[in-house]
Amino acid sequence: MGKVLTEYRAGDRLRDAIDDNNLLLLVISRFSIPFGFGDSTIGEVCEENGIDCATFLSVANLVCSKKAQTYDVSPRALIDYLKKAHTYFLDFNLPLIRRKLIDAVNNSSIDDVAFLIIKYFDDYVIEVRRHMEYENDTLFGYISRLASGEAVTDYSIEEYSATHTDMGDKLNELKDIIIRHYRQKGNDTLNSVLYDIINCQADLVTHCMVENRLLVPAVRRLEQSIADKSSIVPKKVEKSEDAAKSPDSLSEREKEVIVCVAKGKSNKEIADELCLSINTVTTHRRNIASKLQIHSQSGLAIFAIIHHLIDIKEIKLQ
């Protein structure tokens, strides 16, 4: 067994770093580093593949929870890394989890619950795709313009940072609902997909850390550099207080609306049951979606079950 590395440095052999923590396999993949690097150092591998070494070290040390010095990262190099990670999640990892999840729940006779689980996962993937496509198009496009020296006034990194989430909470909720409510014995496929969900959730959290701790500060510095040259003040955005995604952020009336939605009731039926106008119900649903970032009936049903707002037996899906 090799020595434990407290920090990865340019002079360390890359294979020693991988032996120290195999999470680096994801990092080298997202930097498009091919295998076959032999005993080359991290610095040599980065130079051979045209990768900014400071950026690689920053990501590698952060992902592997090392106490490392602060490096001057390259926004362009981080964009390339993050885009590759988005492709991995959207085109490989999440579709693989879905296939395994379908195989796992189809082995059960609990048809309604199986449908609810798959529907929730599909809604979740739509949210992740929307989130990552926004970053690919809007955020990364903005950063590329800045890196080219353009003074951009219609957007800022604070606008992104104020609403940025790691997208892992909903996967954790799905894992909880399966473990706590989906009664099934002897299904190795289900155990395997739960393991994949847990790893994917952890990967998404780390991915968000790279964006928050490395990309956002690097873009702030870039914005300030452009502003110093052009006398433009970067746009600032106040963070919303409604970012919390738990029952504590909901009013009692909003919880009642969630329960009704989870039961499959229409807006008119909800209005009649709670003695509200349809417009008021619509407003409550809009506020709920804003607070929880959950828009579908199946998603709200999962949320209601997890947070003990409703029993799973009360839910009927069409």
Side-chain angles (χ1 to χ4, degrees), residues 147-166:
S148 299
E150 182 179 346
V152 185
T153 60
D154 59 353
Y155 191 77
S156 82
I157 194 62
E158 299 305 328
E159 187 170 340
Y160 164 77
S161 181
T163 58
H164 184 224
T165 59
D166 61 33

Side-chain angles (χ1 to χ4, degrees), residues 194-255:
L194 282 172
Y195 185 77
D196 290 344
I197 287 172
I198 291 168
N199 284 334
C200 184
Q201 190 264 345
D203 195 5
L204 283 166
V205 170
T206 303
H207 178 78
C208 181
M209 286 171 54
V210 171
E211 292 172 328
N212 287 342
R213 298 188 188 180
L214 298 180
L215 183 66
V216 170
V219 177
R220 284 189 183 125
R221 291 192 294 270
L222 186 57
E223 285 178 336
Q224 191 59 55
S225 175
I226 297 293
D228 289 343
K229 294 177 183 177
S230 59
S231 300
I232 292 176
V233 179
K235 181 179 179 183
K236 294 187 179 296
V237 177
E238 295 295 328
K239 287 195 175 185
S240 171
E241 296 297 325
D242 292 331
K245 298 172 186 172
S246 71
D248 294 338
S249 68
L250 300 167
S251 69
E252 290 304 313
R253 181 62 82 186
E254 286 169 343
K255 291 177 186 178

